Every structure is written in C-alpha cells, then in structure tokens.
Amino acid sequence: MAKAACMKNYEFKVRNMLAQIAMFGVVFCPIAYFYYTVQVTTGLLIGLVTGSIYFLYLYRQIENVKVLSKQQAVEHIRGGSIIRLGAMVLVLVVISHVFKVNVLAFVVGFFTMPVFLFINGMLLVAKQVEDAKKI
C-alpha cells in the first residue's frame, strides 16, 4: 500500500516538474523571440524539449530499476547514462551544425531541468526541516 502511494507521489512530482519546464518555456520563449533572434528562441525551445525527453528517459530508467537486482541496476544505470550522454552530444552537434541555432540558448534550455530539480529538492528539505521543528 505504501509503495503504491509513494509511486503515485513520484509520478505527481514528475508531472509537476514537466509542467514547470513547460511554464518556463511559455514565459521565456516569447521573451527570447522579442529581445533576441530566432536562433536564440529555437535553441531555447530545442533545449527545453531535449531536457524534458532526457528527464523522461531518466524517469523510465529509474522506474525499470526497481525490479532488477543490485548489480543489474548498476549496469542498467551506467548503460543508460552513456546513452543519455551520447544522445545529448548528438543533438548538440546536429543543432550547432545543421540548424545553426544558438548553442548557449540550447544549454540554458537543457539545464532548466536540473535547476528545477535542485529548487524542488531544496523546498522539500526545507519543508521537512520545518515539519521536524513542529514535532
């Protein structure tokens, strides 16, 4: 029972994170379009989409690990990290040479996910510390 509730909470957090990334895109893509060039806007948008796909792939990988043994889980995560890194490098090469978009904007868009993960983690820790002080 507790495991099912934990997974529902985990799925809610994943959806919440994707919604935050989408809101970031909705706010900052028009700003980038009006104040910068189309290449900056396109780079930001491709970075956000790539970061979201990376995040979803990582989520699926973590979800699959729960049924594996410890050794298999380690190998699964290592193999997945190589695939994720290779995919990111491939997208970076393609957008910088084929589409000619702004690579810095791509990097900003891609790394919004880790920033939001950090912020959400800090908020969770702060809430737990606050709850512990009430007890």
Side-chain angles (χ1 to χ4, degrees):
M1 271 306 225
K3 194 172 189 177
C6 182
M7 282 308 293
K8 276 193 167 207
N9 188 28
Y10 183 61
E11 290 172 6
F12 173 76
K13 295 287 185 187
V14 168
R15 288 188 187 125
N16 187 19
M17 180 67 85
L18 291 173
Q20 290 174 2
I21 292 170
M23 284 303 296
F24 180 86
V26 166
V27 170
F28 285 100
C29 281
I31 291 172
Y33 181 74
F34 288 121
Y35 290 109
Y36 299 103
T37 63
V38 174
Q39 288 84 9
V40 172
T41 307
T42 307
L44 182 63
L45 192 59
I46 292 172
L48 288 169
V49 170
T50 305
S52 298
I53 292 169
Y54 183 92
F55 179 66
L56 286 173
Y57 183 73
L58 185 61
Y59 164 70
R60 294 291 299 169
Q61 201 174 20
I62 290 170
E63 199 174 72
N64 292 337
V65 163
K66 64 185 176 187
V67 296
L68 300 176
S69 70
K70 185 177 180 180
Q71 182 63 28
Q72 290 174 327
V74 169
E75 291 172 5
H76 184 70
I77 293 293
R78 281 187 187 150
S81 64
I82 292 169
I83 292 171
R84 288 191 314 271
L85 180 63
M88 191 177 89
V89 168
L90 179 68
V91 168
L92 195 56
V93 166
V94 167
I95 67 160
S96 65
H97 288 67
V98 176
F99 294 124
K100 304 288 186 201
V101 300
N102 190 320
V103 175
L104 183 60
F106 169 81
V107 170
V108 168
F110 184 83
F111 282 104
T112 55
M113 183 261 310
V115 169
F116 284 143
L117 275 174
F118 178 76
I119 291 170
N120 286 329
M122 292 302 294
L123 291 174
L124 180 65
V125 168
K127 183 180 178 201
Q128 288 179 350
V129 167
E130 183 180 310
D131 290 345
K133 286 182 181 179
K134 288 181 183 178
I135 294 177

